[in-house]
Amino acid sequence: MSKIKVMSENLANKIAAGEVVEKSASIVKELCENSIDAKAHSIIINLEEGGKKLIEVIDDGEGMNEEDAPLAFQRHATSKIYKDDDLFFIDTLGFRGEALPSIASVSRVELKTSDGNTGTHMVIEGGKILVKEKSSLKKGTSIKVTNLFYNTPARLKYLKSEASELANCTSFVERLALSHPSIAFTLNHENHAIVKTSGSNDLLKTIHEIYGVSVSHRMLEIRASNDDFDLYGYICKPEILKSNRNHMITFVNDRVVKNFEINKAINDAYYTYKPDIKFPIVVLKINTDPTLVDVNIHPTKQDIKLSKMEELTDLILKTIKDTLYKNLLIPDAVERMPESNEAKQEFVENRIKESEEEYIPETIQTTIDFAASEKTTSEKNVVVNPEMKELKLYPVGLAHGTYIIAENETGVYLIDQHAAQERINYERNMKALQSKTVSTTDLLFPITIELSQSEFLKLKSEEEALKEMGFKIEEFGLNTFIFKGHPTWLLEGHEEESIRRIIDLIIGGLQGFDRIKFNESIAITLACKMSIKANMHISHEAQEELLNELCACDNPYNCPHGRPTIIKFSIYDLERMFKRSMN
Ligand code: ZN
Ligand code: ZN
């Protein structure tokens, strides 16, 4: 029996919307996914002129027999989906069967395939079979697409620049390789290997092969599950961040997906571990029952809908936060590994930058979900770095009135005193702001605040929230409030300034008052104000106290703006730099 079946007209119509062949990357995608379905162990992709001149995909999969081969170019033929019900399960990679005939209708396709017994060679141009002959070939399939859109000049125009098409293909093949570490992928562009993975079935090794050693050595393993989802993957330490979101790579049941909520959960988990404008490298495999995956989503889109999205995003947020929390995240001052892949990576990055408009724009607002961060049962699943957090730092001195020099058994450290104190104060403020019990201090001299009518009304609508926070506040004549007391955590000597800042935050808030965002914002602002500035010489005792307090923080490694607080010179690095050690 042939493996490819002809699907019903009804089903064909349903998935016809998915039949979009307009970019080199979508052709590469379709051909590679066919190879994966054919159980290939090795997939080689050759491109010329970013795929405009040539796209060739060679695999060592099952291949097709004589009957299957021509059937593959018939419309409504698919090896994957052949009943309407099957549409319900997107546990296969996508929707196939329409792609090959579509590609063949707008280009010249040369197919060589063999199931190990019979080999078939076919040439199809503009949908017409020009050559079909038996041939002796080894098992597998190779498909060569040339003259793309030769007969549809209107679509030809839609192809982007060579660099941009190549960047899209590269980005796609990288994602595919990461989602299938057991398959060896090679992407060659005009005889230069751009992507090469070994098919080791080791995700970290695949990350290494794609991003280079400087990234793979700074990845932390994550693993967690709840009733509906299993997570596995790697997240980067905050010392290696990217300036775009394209490196948060997620798979649902081995299918590459781009989902706003999932990306937001990943990004939020790094809150205060990184600046808002930087984004982590994360490779995350999500496995779930295919029935939870919503099918009513355009099959060519990489987006996905899940019926238990909140459970999933909670698990992601919590797992990543816990992993960051439990690992030692002090960046080494010295780059230890040779950057062998740097040139390649830079090349690809530049290409990808050019094509960034390809990606769905997202505006990720950094808010943090405190409810989700409460300890739940999946905690035991978090993989902890052997260097479990037991940080202790001893001060040696102060350089430039700015950097504390410290040491311990494993190395010498530089600590930015302002950033360090900012972190300490931020965590203290957050705890005070979140605490259920509020203590209030009366103001010796009450502060009156005069506002415009609209500002007054806005503040009035949040009067209760202010009282809950520990402010003693009353109306005091026309458009005026009087503050008679404030929560004790407010910085002494800066009460009026802080109150005015809080009022600004309330009045300036667009959609009403968001307590969580407000707490964050006020905690950070006040932390910065409360902290010693650079160029202030603090005593040895003060340094000692600062370091102890920093080490006791939930995240001692970054200030609340995401900048680093500590940098390490390991003993090994120092010995190497002074040539005490030659390896
Ligand atoms: Zn600051
Ligand atoms: Zn800061």
Side-chain angles (χ1 to χ4, degrees):
M1 196 184 82
S2 46
K3 288 195 194 73
I4 291 192
K5 302 192 168 124
V6 177
M7 77 167 97
S8 75
E9 191 70 31
N10 182 26
L11 181 61
N13 288 338
K14 276 189 191 169
I15 68 169
E19 167 209 359
V20 181
V21 177
E22 42 180 40
K23 305 242 162 60
S24 304
S26 35
I27 294 173
V28 171
K29 174 177 186 284
E30 295 301 337
L31 299 181
C32 286
E33 287 176 350
N34 279 338
S35 298
I36 292 170
D37 281 350
K39 302 188 171 63
H41 299 293
S42 150
I43 301 175
I44 299 164
I45 304 115
N46 295 315
L47 301 177
E48 280 175 32
E49 291 178 15
K52 290 166 146 186
K53 192 171 165 199
L54 167 78
I55 297 171
E56 183 178 34
V57 174
I58 304 163
D59 73 49
D60 63 351
E62 286 171 340
M64 285 179 266
N65 62 26
E66 254 185 298
E67 291 164 60
D68 277 354
L71 210 52
F73 290 96
Q74 264 181 36
R75 290 213 166 251
H76 316 322
T78 175
S79 61
K80 273 289 141 193
I81 298 167
Y82 50 95
K83 328 192 279 285
D84 290 9
D85 280 354
D86 287 349
L87 260 183
F88 193 60
F89 298 95
I90 322 186
D91 56 349
T92 59
L93 280 164
F95 299 82
R96 240 91 72 234
E98 285 297 276
L100 221 43
S102 302
I103 295 166
S105 69
V106 293
S107 65
R108 179 189 169 93
V109 175
E110 187 174 358
L111 168 80
K112 286 179 184 168
T113 186
S114 166
D115 61 358
N117 300 314
T118 54
T120 310
H121 174 221
M122 287 177 72
V123 178
I124 300 108
E125 197 174 80
K128 286 192 198 70
I129 298 176
L130 303 183
V131 176
K132 181 180 180 295
E133 60 191 12
K134 273 194 187 179
S135 156
S136 64
L137 296 162
K138 64 173 189 181
K139 198 174 156 195
T141 301
S142 97
I143 296 182
K144 209 180 212 179
V145 179
T146 49
N147 289 358
L148 186 58
F149 301 137
Y150 77 100
N151 53 356
T152 52
R155 291 173 96 180
L156 187 58
K157 278 201 313 222
Y158 279 104
L159 284 179
K160 306 219 165 191
S161 71
E162 179 183 326
S164 170
E165 292 289 336
L166 176 61
N168 285 328
C169 292
T170 306
S171 160
F172 173 74
V173 173
E174 286 178 346
R175 282 157 197 258
L176 206 58
L178 289 165
S179 67
H180 292 84
S182 63
I183 301 174
F185 284 88
T186 306
L187 170 64
N188 297 311
H189 186 246
E190 285 158 20
N191 298 321
H192 289 283
I194 295 180
V195 178
K196 194 159 177 41
T197 65
S198 58
S200 60
N201 202 22
D202 177 335
L203 182 57
L204 188 60
K205 189 165 183 213
T206 311
I207 291 171
H208 175 121
E209 287 159 344
I210 286 174
Y211 283 104
V213 72
S214 61
V215 168
S216 63
H217 275 252
R218 293 179 174 83
M219 298 298 275
L220 304 167
E221 194 189 358
I222 58 167
R223 216 184 266 278
S225 42
N226 64 14
D227 290 347
D228 297 300
F229 299 99
D230 293 319
L231 302 183
Y232 168 67
Y234 287 87
I235 64 167
C236 75
K237 293 186 178 180
E239 62 191 281
I240 42 160
L241 295 164
K242 295 281 179 183
S243 48
N244 63 62
R245 294 184 174 85
N246 298 338
H247 304 275
M248 294 188 261
I249 300 172
T250 50
F251 313 108
V252 172
N253 295 347
D254 291 335
R255 183 173 178 229
V256 180
V257 300
K258 272 185 192 165
N259 177 275
F260 174 81
E261 286 138 285
I262 294 175
N263 278 3
K264 183 178 182 302
I266 294 171
N267 196 51
D268 283 354
Y270 278 82
Y271 186 65
T272 81
Y273 282 91
K274 65 173 189 63
D276 288 348
I277 51 160
K278 294 280 185 180
F279 302 94
I281 303 169
V282 169
V283 179
L284 182 60
K285 290 168 101 73
I286 300 160
N287 281 313
T288 186
D289 184 335
T291 56
L292 291 182
V293 181
D294 190 338
V295 295
N296 293 318
I297 203 130
H298 198 287
T300 58
K301 294 268 164 66
Q302 292 175 358
D303 200 357
I304 198 162
K305 283 212 163 51
L306 295 169
S307 34
K308 295 192 175 175
M309 188 57 97
E310 237 185 275
E311 277 90 331
L312 174 62
T313 51
D314 283 357
L315 185 67
I316 292 172
L317 183 77
K318 189 188 174 313
T319 307
I320 297 179
K321 277 179 77 166
D322 284 356
T323 306
L324 291 171
Y325 175 68
K326 287 181 178 158
N327 278 280
L328 198 72
L329 301 174
I330 302 172
D332 281 309
V334 180
E335 182 71 45
R336 201 165 301 163
M337 300 297 166
E339 283 273 6
S340 58
N341 280 26
E342 197 172 23
K344 183 210 110 177
Q345 194 57 33
E346 203 174 307
F347 166 82
V348 175
E349 290 268 304
N350 286 337
R351 296 301 165 101
I352 286 171
K353 250 178 238 145
E354 291 176 45
S355 67
E356 231 146 71
E357 84 268 19
E358 293 294 315
Y359 293 99
I360 314 154
E362 299 164 64
T363 41
I364 292 188
Q365 280 187 319
T366 316
T367 54
I368 197 117
D369 187 351
F370 289 108
S373 69
E374 269 157 31
K375 304 268 176 269
T376 60
T377 46
S378 71
E379 192 167 4
K380 60 185 182 301
N381 295 323
V382 173
V383 180
V384 179
N385 187 307
E387 281 184 292
M388 171 73 186
K389 201 158 91 183
E390 260 178 19
L391 192 55
K392 188 86 186 111
L393 299 173
Y394 305 94
V396 176
L398 187 69
H400 292 264
T402 303
Y403 306 105
I404 299 172
I405 302 159
E407 64 176 350
N408 66 15
E409 318 71 59
T410 63
V412 173
Y413 301 79
L414 287 179
I415 295 98
D416 179 322
Q417 68 179 18
H418 173 74
Q421 208 168 43
E422 214 177 38
R423 163 55 63 176
I424 296 162
N425 289 330
Y426 163 76
E427 291 197 4
R428 188 182 293 147
N429 292 345
M430 278 310 284
K431 283 188 186 110
L433 283 160
Q434 286 169 268
S435 131
K436 301 268 182 293
T437 52
V438 192
S439 55
T440 301
T441 312
D442 283 337
L443 277 160
L444 208 54
F445 304 102
I447 299 163
T448 53
I449 309 271
E450 237 187 284
L451 300 158
S452 75
Q453 172 73 30
S454 62
E455 289 172 337
F456 177 82
L457 290 173
K458 195 145 187 189
L459 196 63
K460 187 161 172 55
S461 68
E462 302 303 343
E463 197 180 334
E464 279 314 303
L466 281 167
K467 283 181 175 160
E468 271 170 37
M469 289 170 73
F471 289 98
K472 284 189 182 166
I473 170 176
E474 285 164 23
E475 279 184 54
F476 192 67
L478 186 67
N479 297 340
T480 305
F481 275 108
I482 186 162
F483 283 76
K484 292 184 168 169
H486 61 79
T488 35
W489 53 261
L490 226 59
L491 181 62
E492 225 182 298
H494 294 266
E495 291 88 354
E496 178 157 1
E497 189 187 342
S498 304
I499 288 170
R500 287 194 184 275
R501 167 89 191 141
I502 288 165
I503 291 169
D504 283 348
L505 280 168
I506 292 174
I507 291 169
L510 285 175
Q511 307 100 343
F513 179 74
D514 179 335
R515 179 68 196 264
I516 289 170
K517 276 190 206 163
F518 175 80
N519 282 355
E520 278 292 335
S521 162
I522 199 73
I524 294 177
T525 309
L526 296 180
C528 186
K529 286 213 185 309
M530 291 156 81
S531 303
I532 28 160
K533 301 287 173 244
N535 279 314
M536 286 251 304
H537 289 267
I538 58 169
S539 69
H540 188 83
E541 288 67 36
Q543 292 167 24
E544 201 172 341
E545 199 187 319
L546 186 71
L547 294 181
N548 288 340
E549 284 180 324
L550 180 66
C551 293
C553 281
D554 284 342
N555 167 14
Y557 317 108
N558 304 92
C559 86
H561 306 93
R563 283 193 277 111
T565 52
I566 317 173
I567 287 171
K568 177 178 184 179
F569 294 83
S570 70
I571 301 280
Y572 171 84
D573 290 329
L574 292 169
E575 287 182 347
R576 219 178 37 139
M577 282 189 284
F578 288 106
K579 311 279 184 226
R580 287 169 167 266
S581 150
M582 292 312 229
N583 47 31

